[in-house]
Amino acid sequence: MQATAEPQVLILEPSKGFFRLKLGDLWEYRELLYFLVWRDVKVRYKQTVLGAAWAVLQPVMTMVVFSIFFGRFAKMPSDGIPYPVFAFAALLPWQLFAYALSESSNSLVSNQNLITKVYFPRLVIPISAVLAGLVDFAIAFGVLLILMCYYGIVPTAAIALLPLFVLLAVATALAVGLWLSSLNVKYRDVRYTIPFLTQIWMFATPVAYPSSLVPEPWRAFLGLNPMAGVVEGFRWALLGNAQSPGPLLAVSVGAVLVLLVGGLIYFRRTESTFADIV
């Protein structure tokens, strides 16, 4: 007599303890994470005329505008690096951060039909929104390599650390996105503040200008803006001529860790209410 397989039972229990994050659940639902990332990438380029070219046009056009107004007219210093390369090297991690922040902040509301129908770790949704931005980054990175070849810039051995700065940009976007996505579920006007926040944040980050313009005693405090460390580290790792970020980067890493851990705790503490109020 053939034995019948017993049905699997999943028991859902509330989290106990303030710091119980259940990050192991992400590994169990890794296939769902992959599917959501792939879905976001396909939706982004579906039924578009230029397709993946949009990943190049936005940073390139911004670089052209910065080069004209900041580089030529304002004579902004660029640490001895041709200004187009100086600006584009900063715009790449910034565009990755800005896209990931916008998408992750609105991800829970955008996926409300999925949240209300089936159980899965809600943390998968903002993470997938952040990771989808890496495709645009990889495409635009090829343009930066072409610019570096055109201006005869050869990267140093520090380029081996470049993935760490990309990871730091992703972690920053996820950290802030966790806070904003959770708040956006309860307070829908949060989404209206995101474009304004991104715009102000960009001018507070040394994208169009070098951090060397900030007086030395205050430069470490600039690192409280995590993207300052990302941008300066990105330039240092790729272009080699910029000064090592040093203390600025250390402060940025500390700020990201505080934001990320706090965001994870707050997200986990509030995710049980998402399906009820989204």
Side-chain angles (χ1 to χ4, degrees), residues 96-258:
L96 170 62
F97 166 76
Y99 172 81
L101 175 62
S102 175
E103 294 299 313
S104 61
S105 298
N106 293 297
S107 59
L108 294 176
V109 175
S110 301
N111 290 276
Q112 56 182 314
N113 292 333
L114 186 61
I115 291 176
T116 55
K117 289 181 179 179
V118 63
Y119 168 78
F120 60 93
R122 309 310 188 200
L123 195 58
V124 169
I125 293 180
I127 291 178
S128 66
V130 170
L131 295 180
L134 290 172
V135 176
D136 285 5
F137 174 83
I139 296 172
F141 187 76
V143 177
L144 177 59
L145 295 180
I146 294 174
L147 274 176
M148 292 174 63
C149 290
Y150 177 79
Y151 285 99
I153 298 176
V154 179
T156 64
I159 194 174
L161 299 176
L162 190 64
L164 297 180
F165 295 111
V166 176
L167 178 62
L168 185 60
V170 170
T172 304
L174 178 61
V176 182
L178 290 175
W179 285 99
L180 294 181
S181 61
S182 302
L183 292 171
N184 196 25
V185 171
K186 189 174 183 180
Y187 308 105
R188 296 301 175 89
D189 50 350
V190 169
R191 60 183 175 179
Y192 301 116
T193 67
I194 296 172
F196 174 74
L197 173 64
T198 305
Q199 186 177 20
I200 297 299
W201 201 328
M202 180 177 181
F203 287 104
T205 304
V207 175
Y209 58 90
S211 62
S212 57
L213 289 181
V214 180
E216 182 67 31
W218 297 94
R219 201 168 298 168
F221 290 98
L222 184 63
L224 292 175
N225 170 10
M227 285 306 297
V230 171
V231 167
E232 287 298 298
F234 206 86
R235 284 184 178 134
W236 171 73
L238 262 180
L239 308 180
N241 292 338
Q243 186 179 3
S244 173
L248 184 147
L249 179 60
V251 176
S252 292
V253 172
V256 170
L257 290 176
V258 171

